[in-house]
Amino acid sequence: MKTMILRMREILRLATFALALSFGHGAVAESVAIIPQPAHVEQHAGVFELRADMTMAYDAACEAQARYLCEVLYPSTGFTWKVAEKKNRADVVLEVDAARVPEPEGYRLTVDGKRVVICGHDAGGVFYGIQSFLQLLPPAVHGTVLQRGVAWQVPQVTVSDAPDHPWRGMMLDVARYFYDKEFVKHYIDMMAMYKMNKLQFHLIDDSGWRLEIKKYPRLTEVGAWAGENENRLGGYYSQDDIREIIAYAAVRNVEVIPEIEFPAHMLSAVVAYPWLSCTGKQHEVPRQHFISRDLLCVGKQSSYDFLADVLEETADLFPSKYINIGGDEAVYDRWKECPLCQQVMQREGLKQVSDLQGYLTNVVADMMKKKGKTVVGWEEIIMRGKVSQPVVALIWHQVNDT
């Protein structure tokens, strides 16, 4: 799988450059710096200064975003604004109006001498208007303690924008390198700041199983940990942790898409339940990542039952309409040697062993279709055997072969 791990700062530097192109493009006043670059900015004379005694009003559809803005502003400014559902007279107004802002996730930010108005097509648009508003404030606004002597001023502007691309995503690999819940939230904050909206949550790999599955407790009791005693490392997210992360992301207009890897990259599951593999051999969770040759056995009904159970709990937990099944970098030696896998090939009339992966993808895609989910995976899911169900392939290196 992808072996280059970028540090957060490197990721965000690249994201800043790329996302300057992902929303609309237009002429922007030089003194107004907003990333991504908005489609339209008009700067007017004068500034608007935030005060401690201000009021904020909001539409019911964006109450969570109003609370978010207050939470961001309080540590650095100390402001405790009066906040209430929409009234005619308020210093800051958040509203949703799809007629005034017709593009999904679009917004219009208006700052004049009297008030700040953020109007979004939807709650996501309001959130993005908030992000642009925060970028107009002094950088000290992101401080975690009270910042004294700062003039909390923004230029008087009119900004309108909407994304050119509906999918603006990043991946976080917590399987090979576990990060705690608070780090995941911070990662989501960094994504949201730059108006990114899809988080591919890589939860499973050979070196760790990070998602609690109630029906298979050994996946996290055993598969989430490597090494012993002082050398033990790992961790996992309870289902309550996941619900908390999803709710946190939803306020920030980030859709969390789970990635459950198979048929390769799942040694952590095989360690917990050796019967999932073709050989049934007992392994250990590795402390250092490598690509195991032990695949999920496609010749056993128990493998399909396992997938059905795991994916059902996952699908019920994550509201996203997508579920990522990985599917990359499978080495098929075990399937070649497995009599049960060979029987499936004969029964289904498959000509080469890699066709078994296409067969498996179809079975899973049909399972997920019944749950209202669309399967996503790395490019191998459309390059290994015939896939008859609609799936989404993420191209990561074989660009010329697709």
Side-chain angles (χ1 to χ4, degrees):
M1 208 170 179
K2 282 50 64 194
T3 57
M4 180 175 67
I5 305 299
L6 298 179
R7 293 180 180 179
M8 177 74 77
R9 186 177 299 174
E10 294 168 329
I11 291 172
L12 292 177
R13 185 169 63 246
L14 292 172
T16 298
F17 173 77
L19 282 168
L21 303 176
S22 72
F23 269 56
H25 316 291
V28 180
E30 291 184 3
S31 60
V32 176
I34 297 174
I35 299 173
Q37 180 176 301
H40 178 78
V41 173
E42 291 181 16
Q43 184 169 359
H44 314 293
V47 297
F48 180 87
E49 184 165 357
L50 277 61
R51 307 180 311 277
D53 62 350
M54 289 173 59
T55 59
M56 176 163 48
Y58 59 85
D59 282 344
C62 56
E63 178 179 0
Q65 287 68 36
R67 304 293 177 189
Y68 164 86
L69 178 55
C70 289
E71 290 169 5
V72 172
L73 291 175
Y74 175 73
S76 58
T77 66
F79 295 163
T80 54
W81 292 346
K82 292 182 179 179
V83 180
E85 196 166 337
K86 192 171 181 181
K87 297 179 181 178
N88 291 329
R89 299 181 64 84
D91 301 293
V92 178
V93 177
L94 308 182
E95 54 191 6
V96 173
D97 191 332
R100 288 175 56 196
V101 183
E103 304 91 348
E105 299 179 279
Y107 70 89
R108 182 179 177 87
L109 165 64
T110 304
V111 183
D112 58 28
K114 296 181 179 180
R115 59 167 50 179
V116 176
V117 178
I118 299 173
C119 181
H121 174 90
D122 42 32
V126 171
F127 180 81
Y128 290 149
I130 290 172
Q131 295 307 303
S132 293
F133 173 66
L134 290 172
Q135 288 189 36
L136 296 176
L137 284 162
V141 73
H142 294 291
T144 57
V145 297
L146 185 64
Q147 307 292 305
R148 300 187 183 279
V150 179
W152 300 110
Q153 297 177 338
V154 293
Q156 295 188 31
V157 293
T158 301
V159 181
S160 58
D161 200 13
D164 285 344
H165 304 292
W167 190 296
R168 305 177 303 283
M170 292 183 71
M171 184 180 84
L172 179 59
D173 182 349
V174 296
R176 286 175 286 190
Y177 307 94
F178 180 70
Y179 298 103
D180 65 24
K181 179 175 60 178
E182 294 308 312
F183 179 93
V184 176
K185 289 181 177 181
H186 180 64
Y187 192 91
I188 290 168
D189 281 331
M190 295 299 99
M191 288 180 59
M193 181 182 295
Y194 292 103
K195 304 182 175 78
M196 304 186 82
N197 68 346
K198 308 290 183 187
L199 172 60
Q200 182 177 328
F201 206 14
H202 184 79
L203 291 160
I204 312 304
D205 216 296
D206 289 314
S207 50
W209 185 287
R210 308 300 181 201
L211 176 63
E212 179 190 22
I213 300 296
K214 301 286 189 181
K215 195 164 186 177
Y216 298 93
R218 285 178 59 83
L219 290 173
T220 46
E221 291 173 357
V222 175
W225 307 95
E228 296 180 353
N229 301 323
E230 68 275 6
N231 294 319
R232 192 172 190 240
L233 54 84
Y236 68 94
Y237 308 101
S238 70
Q239 293 196 4
D240 284 342
D241 289 336
I242 293 295
R243 292 185 186 97
E244 184 178 334
I245 289 169
I246 290 170
Y248 189 88
V251 174
R252 292 152 180 81
N253 200 47
V254 173
E255 179 180 351
V256 183
I257 301 168
E259 183 181 353
I260 308 294
E261 274 271 3
F262 59 87
H265 288 289
M266 58 174 298
L267 182 63
S268 54
V270 171
V271 172
Y273 298 101
W275 49 263
L276 289 170
S277 71
C278 294
T279 66
K281 182 180 177 181
Q282 182 66 63
H283 295 275
E284 293 183 355
V285 178
R287 281 181 50 85
Q288 185 170 351
H289 175 71
F290 76 103
I291 300 174
S292 172
R293 290 175 176 257
D294 281 276
L295 307 183
L296 178 73
C297 182
V298 293
K300 299 176 183 177
Q301 181 58 43
S302 55
S303 295
Y304 299 97
D305 294 340
F306 171 82
L307 286 182
D309 293 336
V310 168
L311 294 176
E312 181 173 12
E313 285 195 36
T314 304
D316 289 345
L317 190 58
F318 289 84
S320 173
K321 66 179 180 180
Y322 299 102
I323 189 163
N324 193 309
I325 64 170
D328 62 319
E329 297 182 326
V331 179
Y332 303 112
D333 294 348
R334 295 287 188 263
W335 286 355
K336 288 179 182 178
E337 300 163 358
C338 175
L340 296 177
C341 292
Q342 291 300 308
Q343 287 177 18
V344 175
M345 285 188 65
Q346 294 174 8
R347 185 189 74 211
E348 300 297 326
L350 306 179
K351 295 182 179 180
Q352 51 191 11
V353 71
S354 60
D355 291 342
L356 282 168
Q357 183 161 348
Y359 170 76
L360 177 62
T361 300
N362 279 322
V363 171
V364 171
D366 186 60
M367 288 181 191
M368 293 296 94
K369 183 179 179 180
K370 294 173 182 175
K371 298 288 292 184
K373 307 286 186 179
T374 297
V375 161
V376 181
W378 299 110
E379 63 196 42
E380 286 91 335
I381 69 169
I382 61 170
M383 299 173 68
R384 304 291 186 266
K386 184 178 179 181
V387 177
S388 57
Q389 292 283 0
V391 297
V392 177
L394 304 176
I395 309 304
W396 67 281
H397 75 306
Q398 299 289 353
V399 177
N400 295 328
D401 294 340
T402 58

